[in-house]
Amino acid sequence: MDITFLLNGEVVSLTGVSPTMTLLDWLRETRHLTGTKEGCNEGDCGACSVMISDDQGHRALNGCILFLPQINGKSVTTVEGLAAPDGSLHPVQQTMIDHHGSQCGFCTPGFAVTMATDHLNGATDHDTQLAGNLCRCTGYAPIIRAAKAAEAAPVPAHLRNLKLPDGPKSSGGPAQPDGGGQPPATSRPTTTDELAHWYADHPDATLIAGATDVGLWVTKQFRDLGPVVFLNQIPDLRGITDGGDHWRIGAATTLATLTAHFAPLYPSLGAMLRRYGSAQVRNAATIGGNIANGSPIGDGPPALIAMGATLHLRHGDT
């Protein structure tokens, strides 16, 4: 599988990408960008936080459970990309220094990236946005003070247009050595029709949307997923449509999108979703995956049942 993305302002094209190689592993092992840390390797601690930008906006995600094909066509900003080309620190980096927001420093890169994402988005609910970044020695008070102190600072110029340009692409080489064997079937459909037909031909394939659950099958259980299909480039699987007397929610709609839409309408549902995982998890996790994986911590189904939701399924053309 071939992918192209923007990494800290540089266009990177990779060939022969392993569908289950994580962004974290590639950054550290291939690019030697070691600022992004591996802590829990399951999306809980936030030490691996990266900023992903695309036509849906900017969001902090856990690089440890983000597979390389999921970043195709997107912009990735790591902690190494926060400072300006001339070396000037990002406002959140400077305020972390000014307010003594770092002690051992292991968690600091993840905090800085999440804070820079919030700064770019104008988000000031720092207790919520930083809940997915864990610190065991500094304490959160100086970190929150640093985030508040950076709120009024302008967004650095190099972070204002994080968009993959058109035109020739520079090559980043292979993502990892070719093992020589026949790779498993992979697909990156762009429509639900394409997905339905491919999945009918590969019924044993693993569907990957946000990978907040499936990612752990690889990083913790070391499972070989076999054939995989990525759903994050199918626009008609995303979003919430108002039908007047009902809402239609696409299976690939993230929990963050659900929260933004339903919290003003149903405050109790918004409060529940706010406690689901962390901002990084909610930015990636989808309602379809929440239902389909049958996880014992899948808190979506009880709320959907209470709201009288109906599940629509498809197989092939039916």
Side-chain angles (χ1 to χ4, degrees):
M1 181 175 286
D2 300 341
I3 65 170
T4 299
F5 58 97
L6 203 64
L7 175 63
N8 295 331
E10 174 193 356
V11 179
V12 176
S13 294
L14 302 178
T15 59
V17 168
S18 168
T20 56
M21 187 176 199
T22 66
L23 175 61
L24 173 67
D25 285 347
W26 181 82
L27 287 171
R28 294 181 61 84
E29 297 172 9
T30 303
R31 271 303 176 107
H32 308 296
L33 294 176
T34 55
T36 307
K37 304 302 184 188
E38 179 180 316
C40 64
N41 213 20
E42 58 186 43
D44 285 338
C45 73
C48 65
S49 296
V50 296
M51 179 166 69
I52 302 297
S53 305
D54 56 19
D55 58 0
Q56 300 173 65
H58 315 281
R59 55 203 178 278
L61 295 178
N62 293 305
C64 69
I65 51 174
L66 188 64
F67 296 129
L68 283 178
Q70 293 178 272
I71 65 172
N72 182 54
K74 304 181 186 300
S75 172
V76 179
T77 303
T78 68
V79 67
E80 291 89 352
L82 295 186
D86 65 0
S88 301
L89 295 180
H90 189 285
V92 302
Q93 293 176 305
Q94 187 61 55
T95 57
M96 283 285 275
I97 296 171
D98 297 341
H99 292 267
H100 310 287
S102 178
Q103 189 168 320
C104 84
F106 187 87
C107 68
T108 305
F111 269 101
V113 170
T114 302
M115 292 163 67
T117 307
D118 299 338
H119 181 262
L120 184 55
N121 289 329
T124 58
D125 53 338
H126 304 301
D127 288 348
T128 296
Q129 297 300 322
L130 292 175
N133 292 89
L134 306 186
C135 175
R136 300 180 69 89
C137 62
T138 305
Y140 297 97
I143 297 173
I144 296 297
R145 285 196 290 268
K148 289 183 178 294
E151 288 177 1
V155 173
H158 69 289
L159 296 179
R160 292 175 187 166
N161 185 27
L162 299 174
K163 182 180 179 181
L164 188 67
D166 296 327
K169 307 294 189 289
S170 63
S171 176
Q176 65 178 24
D178 185 357
Q182 182 67 27
T186 59
S187 180
R188 196 167 54 213
T190 57
T191 67
T192 51
D193 287 339
E194 185 181 348
L195 167 63
H197 295 151
W198 188 92
Y199 194 44
D201 293 333
H202 302 83
D204 296 328
T206 299
L207 281 72
I208 301 176
T212 54
D213 194 5
V214 174
L216 274 66
W217 300 356
V218 174
T219 63
K220 291 298 185 179
Q221 301 177 16
F222 306 107
R223 286 166 56 177
D224 180 358
L225 300 185
V228 295
V229 54
F230 291 91
L231 311 182
N232 64 319
Q233 293 189 323
I234 307 178
D236 52 334
L237 271 185
R238 298 194 302 264
I240 303 171
T241 303
D242 188 347
D245 60 349
H246 68 278
W247 289 282
R248 188 176 184 88
I249 305 172
T253 302
T254 65
L255 297 184
T257 300
L258 282 180
T259 304
H261 182 89
F262 285 110
L265 303 173
Y266 301 100
S268 59
L269 177 60
M272 186 207 82
L273 291 172
R274 179 179 177 272
R275 288 167 173 78
Y276 190 99
S278 63
Q280 288 93 325
V281 170
R282 294 192 298 273
N283 285 337
T286 65
I287 189 61
N290 185 253
I291 297 168
N293 284 359
S295 170
I297 56 171
D299 295 338
L304 293 173
I305 292 171
M307 296 176 70
T310 300
L311 184 64
H312 295 264
L313 303 175
R314 175 175 176 177
H315 181 265
D317 290 324
T318 60

